[in-house]
Amino acid sequence: MSQLLPERRGRTGSWEPTTEVEQMTERMRRLLDQTFGGFGLEWAQSRGWTPAVDLEEAEDAYIVEAELPGVKREDVEVELLGNELSIAGECKERERKGAVRRQGRRTGRFEYRLSLPHDVKGDNVEASLSEGVLTVRVPKAERAQRRTIEVK
């Protein structure tokens, strides 16, 4: 397998699989672009990107944190349907005055869907965006909350 994908090490000296996936995606995009004359780029842009997300289970709620650097509050949509949480929106590219020599920051549409493990209370969901991190707190339903039962 290492013959197909050379192992690269990041600054920390450890293998970084996300870097490998990003590089492979870029190579595939270029291949599609060369093969289909621009169709590949349109296809990749229509799919958008997926933010990095953490899911934490607290006693009474699920807490979802999504990295959305440069995204404004009004450009984010958070929806809950049953136990499926959807985070979508757009990171708009800023207007530039000079020539862009390299672009590594993600822009365009993004979407993330997550099925939560248990029944949740959809009425009391809270979402906040601060310092580029969207935090969504989804309370658990009464029957899904953990209870300690006293043994008599």
Side-chain angles (χ1 to χ4, degrees), residues 5 38 42 62 69 84 105 121-122 126 133:
L5 293 173
E42 291 170 16
Y62 296 101
E84 183 175 285
R105 296 171 59 196
K121 284 187 201 175
E126 299 172 356
V133 177

Side-chain angles (χ1 to χ4, degrees), residues 96-127:
R96 300 179 188 272
K97 296 181 181 178
V100 178
R101 299 291 181 198
R102 181 176 179 156
Q103 185 171 359
R105 296 171 59 196
R106 294 180 176 182
T107 58
R109 297 279 312 157
F110 63 86
E111 185 173 355
Y112 184 83
R113 292 184 183 276
L114 171 69
S115 292
L116 297 169
H118 298 288
D119 292 333
V120 294
K121 284 187 201 175
D123 299 339
N124 301 326
V125 177
E126 299 172 356

